[in-house]
Amino acid sequence: MRYRLLPALVASSALRASAAPSASSDSAETYDYIVVGSGPGGGPLAAELARAGYSTLLIEAGGDEGDNPTYAEIPWFNEAANDELTRWDFWVKHSDDPEQDLKFAHTTWDTGDGTFYVGLDPPEHAKLLGIQYPRAAVLGGCAMHNAGVCSMPADDDWNIIVNKTGDTSWDAKNMRKYLMQIERNEYLPPGAPGHGYDGWLATSIQDSSWARNDSLPDPDEAADLVNRDLLELDDKADETSSFYSMVTHADARGMRASPNNYIRATLADPAGYPLTVKLHTLATRVLFDPATVGVDGVVPRAIGVEVMEGPSLYKADPKHVKGTKGPLKQFHAKREVIVSGGAFNSPQLLKLSGIGPRDELAKFNITLVKHLPGVGENLGDNYEGSILAMGSAPVETGLITLLFRTPNAPNKKRNIYTWCGAFSFEGFWPGFPTYHGPTQYSCAMVHLAPKSQAGSVRLVSADPQDKPEINFRFFEHGGKEDLAELVSAANILREAINAAGEPVAPLVEKHPCPGGKDEKCTDEAQAEFFKLQAYSHHATSTCAIGGDDDEMAVLDSKFRVRGVAGLRVVDASAFPVVPGAFPSCPTMMLSVKAAEDIIAEAKKQE
């Protein structure tokens, strides 16, 4: 398959300079706080700090597409994720075995003639790119190009931080208040327990009137099942297998709700909150007080950031023009620098700034500020896969969401999140997804609580415009068990799909068992399929919170970078484990918790 590459934008002469000038700290702009990255971690945090009266600079490498219907309207999420206007392409690995990765059906190649080739039989001389992992460089971050699913982690995913650090503020019952703080619920009557109605993040559900179709055996029961609240407050929720509504961070009209809205509302508020946003600004390193670096007994202190100004400067941007650089500039922070670049870019920026594994930094002649071996390690993600079948007629239903426990799950907790409907979702590649025709039907699966977090984000150079090397090392630990759970889920869903009556039946499966399960499609064969074709898009945990006794811990429970003053990381990289099925809403909750912690600390110092 071939896909067009958007011709690169013509760069201005200023941006074509072969070498950027040295940044000068003279008359550098100064703020109380500097936040790098405007996604689910950094965006709400910056707005909260400014609303608390602290001058805050928010730095974003992309632009603002809040008024662009492709991003503002949730139904266009596939187009948003493919859009070169904001897309950053990371080409990742799934394992240390290059031959295994080359079996991924949607491996992508650069043909050299302005197109991508996607598949297993590339044309001669095509350059291997790898497995696409799109991110969004835009005000609001990846919450602007995702499908907007809003779900809660299992209680254990919050409580693990309590167990690691002793900080009881991370207790799952306490964390619920942050959902209530940010949520503006539009699908339940006012006063539903565990929900908020006055926040900046609209939540809604899809129309489920299709479930009252008189042709169903019990339309009232069916409607009740698919309308169950996915975000319900229930102590037994993590052990409950059930159908649910799919909650999205969007309003009832389908308009996306994200940090973009909150940032823009903060900027426009008549109160004149001291928030400054710098768009098209690439952070290149965190600045440290030179009197505190390399001095025995002195804790290094972050005092600002250096940036490169201009659009499409990062090489993950498909619009980047080779050799393009921008002028360097410095900003200073009186209080703190907060890195919120996400699971790929936060560890990269820390390493470029001298914080990370000693040997890796020495390899690129980066001056060591603090040896923290956990920076860029512990990369985790949900395993994802799907059953795809073709019916004899189009399936006339909406999306059906189900959370359930497979019989081989390691404990009583549910371990699969699935949604089924007339769509296809088989991973990511330029131009995804494939439309298989009007009778396509899929059950897409997200595996909860994966056992392996063996991935890494590592530098390839000291150039801040270069992308890091990203390897997820799927199934490195506990892989046999995780694959068995995916296969068990597929078998359960296959039985459900095949129970469909006329005129939809019979359905002919395309994968993981082409033609249907028979003697050729054993559990072992399905496990091999998922091992090679699983995909993901919920990267977390590369700057993980941990206890004082954990040498791989990067942050303490208040998001402070260990062994460094004036520096925190607030985004999905802070989670010690993958938080549930979808990290967007949990990261926004984490963000407002961080704001609460930071503001409380600032008040004590005043």
Side-chain angles (χ1 to χ4, degrees):
M1 293 178 284
R2 291 176 182 265
Y3 298 93
R4 182 178 59 85
L5 281 165
L6 184 72
L9 296 180
V10 177
S12 70
S13 58
L15 294 178
R16 287 186 178 275
S18 59
S22 298
S24 171
S25 62
D26 296 340
S27 67
E29 296 176 32
T30 301
Y31 301 85
D32 289 324
Y33 294 97
I34 298 175
V35 180
V36 180
S38 69
L45 171 62
E48 292 283 339
L49 292 173
R51 286 171 179 263
Y54 296 101
S55 60
T56 304
L57 172 63
L58 178 60
I59 294 170
E60 168 56 50
D64 180 7
E65 297 300 325
D67 294 326
N68 183 335
T70 300
Y71 299 88
E73 300 172 16
I74 280 284
W76 297 105
F77 64 88
N78 279 336
E79 288 76 7
N82 274 293
D83 191 359
E84 291 178 339
L85 186 62
T86 66
R87 198 182 77 222
W88 274 4
D89 288 333
F90 290 94
W91 305 102
V92 307
K93 300 176 183 178
H94 282 172
S95 75
D96 287 319
D97 182 351
E99 294 302 316
Q100 177 177 310
D101 275 5
L102 284 173
K103 295 176 183 177
F104 184 70
H106 298 110
T107 298
T108 303
W109 311 71
D110 182 353
T111 64
D113 65 0
T115 63
F116 292 117
Y117 170 83
V118 178
L120 303 178
D121 187 23
E124 190 176 0
H125 306 306
K127 176 185 176 183
L128 175 65
L129 294 171
I131 300 166
Q132 190 193 37
Y133 203 111
R135 302 282 83 184
V138 65
L139 190 68
C142 291
M144 290 295 287
H145 80 169
N146 64 9
V149 180
C150 188
S151 66
M152 290 287 283
D155 286 354
D156 286 351
D157 296 342
W158 295 122
N159 293 337
I160 190 174
I161 302 178
V162 180
N163 297 333
K164 285 177 174 288
T165 68
D167 185 343
T168 57
S169 70
W170 285 94
D171 180 84
K173 288 183 171 59
N174 185 61
M175 291 303 297
R176 183 76 185 203
K177 74 181 183 184
Y178 298 110
L179 174 66
M180 297 172 67
Q181 180 179 326
I182 67 176
E183 185 184 23
R184 188 177 76 248
N185 187 287
E186 296 190 3
Y187 65 93
L188 290 172
H195 285 283
Y197 294 85
D198 300 313
W200 50 267
L201 190 75
T203 58
S204 62
I205 60 174
Q206 290 187 339
D207 177 25
S208 60
S209 58
W210 59 269
R212 296 196 181 277
N213 188 324
D214 290 339
S215 66
L216 296 174
D218 189 333
D220 291 332
E221 182 179 0
D224 289 342
L225 284 172
V226 299
N227 278 321
R228 184 169 183 169
D229 180 18
L230 182 65
L231 303 180
E232 66 183 352
L233 182 62
D234 183 352
D235 289 341
K236 295 293 185 181
D238 298 339
E239 298 180 9
T240 301
S241 294
S242 177
F243 293 95
Y244 290 90
S245 60
M246 178 180 278
V247 179
T248 57
H249 50 85
D251 68 19
R253 301 170 300 152
M255 302 300 292
R256 183 184 296 274
S258 79
N260 180 286
N261 306 91
Y262 195 34
I263 295 164
R264 290 166 61 127
T266 302
L267 291 170
D269 197 290
Y273 296 120
L275 176 63
T276 300
V277 177
K278 300 282 188 181
L279 301 174
H280 300 300
T281 302
L282 178 70
T284 59
R285 63 186 174 112
V286 177
L287 303 172
F288 292 90
D289 182 346
T292 67
V293 176
V295 180
D296 290 342
V298 178
V299 176
R301 181 168 190 84
I303 59 170
V305 296
E306 178 185 84
V307 303
M308 188 180 294
E309 297 181 312
S312 302
L313 293 172
Y314 195 55
K315 293 179 184 177
D317 191 325
K319 304 183 299 301
H320 176 75
V321 176
K322 185 177 180 179
T324 299
K325 294 186 180 295
L328 295 178
K329 187 173 182 178
Q330 292 185 353
F331 299 103
H332 287 172
K334 289 185 288 186
R335 291 184 175 273
E336 293 183 359
V337 174
I338 302 156
V339 176
S340 301
F344 298 160
N345 292 105
S346 284
Q348 180 184 20
L349 184 59
L350 290 186
K351 290 180 180 183
L352 292 171
S353 307
I355 300 172
R358 180 185 292 110
D359 292 344
E360 183 179 351
L361 303 190
K363 180 180 177 181
F364 300 108
N365 297 315
I366 297 172
T367 300
L368 182 69
V369 173
K370 178 63 180 177
H371 172 59
L372 282 179
V375 176
E377 302 302 307
N378 195 52
L379 174 64
D381 211 330
N382 302 110
Y383 299 124
E384 298 185 55
S386 65
I387 289 185
L388 173 64
M390 303 299 292
S392 299
V395 182
E396 303 293 341
T397 69
L399 283 180
I400 300 171
T401 301
L402 171 65
L403 274 73
F404 66 98
R405 178 189 179 275
T406 62
N408 55 357
N411 51 44
K412 294 181 180 180
K413 306 292 185 1
R414 57 198 184 188
N415 57 335
I416 299 293
Y417 182 119
T418 186
W419 64 104
C420 303
F423 64 90
S424 72
F425 182 36
E426 302 163 277
F428 297 89
W429 63 90
F432 84 95
T434 297
Y435 176 63
H436 296 278
T439 66
Q440 65 182 9
Y441 192 83
S442 288
C443 284
M445 299 185 293
V446 174
H447 183 239
L448 305 177
K451 298 167 189 62
S452 183
Q453 296 209 182
S456 63
V457 177
R458 295 174 182 166
L459 298 178
V460 299
S461 78
D463 184 348
Q465 293 180 272
D466 281 343
K467 296 175 288 185
E469 179 184 80
I470 301 163
N471 188 337
F472 282 91
R473 295 185 183 86
F474 276 6
F475 307 108
E476 186 94 351
H477 305 301
K480 183 177 180 180
E481 293 81 3
D482 282 346
L483 287 167
E485 291 172 40
L486 288 169
V487 171
S488 180
N491 289 338
I492 291 169
L493 293 170
R494 178 179 298 108
E495 183 177 356
I497 290 174
N498 288 332
E502 296 181 349
V504 173
L507 289 93
V508 179
E509 188 171 331
K510 294 181 74 69
H511 63 66
C513 289
K517 196 170 189 298
D518 55 22
E519 66 278 1
K520 295 180 181 178
C521 192
T522 62
D523 285 357
E524 291 75 19
Q526 291 186 82
E528 183 68 8
F529 173 86
F530 286 121
K531 180 179 179 180
L532 298 177
Q533 305 304 331
Y535 48 90
S536 65
H537 65 302
H538 303 152
T540 69
S541 308
T542 50
C543 298
I545 294 171
D548 295 341
D549 58 348
D550 181 0
E551 70 169 357
M552 297 302 286
V554 177
L555 310 176
D556 69 9
S557 68
K558 303 300 183 185
F559 306 91
R560 294 174 292 217
V561 176
R562 290 184 170 275
V564 180
L567 183 62
R568 304 190 203 222
V569 177
V570 178
D571 57 29
S573 70
F575 288 108
V577 297
V578 179
F582 295 88
S584 187
C585 281
T587 303
M588 290 183 247
M589 295 164 61
L590 174 148
S591 178
V592 293
K593 182 192 190 311
E596 182 179 271
D597 291 342
I598 294 168
I599 292 167
E601 189 172 313
K603 296 298 185 186
K604 286 182 180 180
Q605 296 170 353
E606 292 172 357

